[in-house]
């Protein structure tokens, strides 16, 4: 059996002198840095602009779902920071099926579909561009009322 290493073919090792920043794990860690505060503000403004929710007092009989901030550092090819992202996510694992929700759906694109689309683009010599969407809501409006704190 012929392998790349037997022929002296190795993947080049790339070293970077850039100090890698870490993501905050808690809200207390985040509040020390203005770039994370700006990322949170952008996410909050987008949620308000999209009319993602309305503020109402919770019903006493309804369970309240918590939320948390998830932080991500998007990097350029050379390892430098491109953008700081913050997402406000619901802690849906506290919900009870049949009480808080009745069905789940998660849209997923299979890798085979992506390969087919790229193959069609290459065959037709179409230009291919990458697009980064800040806020994409793939699901339709909820039928259930959800209270989030």
């Amino acid at each position: 059996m012929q392998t790349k290493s037997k022929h002296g073919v190795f993947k080049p090792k790339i070293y970077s002198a850039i100090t890698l920043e870490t993501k905050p794990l808690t809200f207390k860690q985040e509040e020390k840095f203005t770039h994370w505060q700006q990322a949170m503000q952008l996410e909050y403004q987008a949620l308000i602009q999209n009319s993602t929710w309305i503020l109402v007092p919770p019903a006493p009989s309804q369970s309240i779902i918590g939320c948390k901030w998830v932080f991500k550092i998007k990097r350029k090819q050379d390892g430098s920071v491109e953008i700081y992202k913050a997402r406000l996510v619901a802690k849906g694992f506290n919900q009870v099926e049949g009480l808080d929700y009745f069905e789940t759906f998660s849209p997923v694109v299979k890798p085979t579909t992506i390969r087919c689309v790229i193959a069609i683009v290459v065959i037709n010599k179409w230009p291919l561009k990458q697009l980064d969407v800040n806020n994409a809501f793939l699901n339709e409006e909820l039928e259930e009322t959800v209270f989030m704190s």
Side-chain angles (χ1 to χ4, degrees):
M1 178 174 173
Q2 299 294 326
T3 63
K4 291 180 181 180
S5 61
K6 285 184 181 178
H7 290 299
V9 178
F10 296 97
K11 189 175 183 180
K13 294 182 181 178
I14 299 172
Y15 298 98
S16 176
I18 298 171
T19 305
L20 297 179
E21 296 182 47
T22 57
K23 300 179 288 188
L25 299 175
T26 64
F27 187 76
K28 286 285 185 194
Q29 291 175 350
E30 165 278 323
E31 66 184 3
K32 299 174 188 172
F33 302 101
T34 57
H35 51 267
W36 288 118
Q37 291 173 358
Q38 289 171 349
M40 289 173 61
Q41 189 63 33
L42 283 172
E43 171 73 358
Y44 181 75
Q45 288 172 353
L47 292 171
I48 295 298
Q49 268 185 334
N50 290 329
S51 301
T52 306
W53 63 65
I54 55 172
L55 297 175
V56 296
S61 62
Q62 184 73 28
S63 60
I64 299 174
I65 299 169
C67 64
K68 71 179 240 176
W69 286 98
V70 177
F71 302 99
K72 183 177 180 182
I73 301 173
K74 195 166 183 187
R75 299 191 180 278
K76 296 180 184 176
Q77 204 170 14
D78 64 355
S80 62
V81 174
E82 182 177 347
I83 192 168
Y84 295 94
K85 287 190 170 189
R87 296 287 175 256
L88 184 63
V89 298
K91 295 180 181 178
F93 53 82
N94 292 331
Q95 292 181 306
V96 179
E97 185 175 2
L99 177 66
D100 298 316
Y101 68 93
F102 299 103
E103 62 181 342
T104 61
F105 176 72
S106 179
V108 178
V109 177
K110 294 183 180 180
T112 307
T113 306
I114 294 173
R115 284 194 294 270
C116 287
V117 169
I118 291 174
I120 292 168
V121 166
V122 170
I123 289 168
N124 292 307
K125 298 179 182 176
W126 294 338
L128 182 64
K129 296 187 179 188
Q130 179 181 346
L131 177 66
D132 188 17
V133 178
N134 285 335
N135 294 85
F137 294 96
L138 303 175
N139 299 326
E140 63 184 55
E141 290 189 22
L142 296 175
E143 295 173 5
E144 300 87 5
T145 302
V146 177
F147 291 96
M148 189 172 90
S149 64

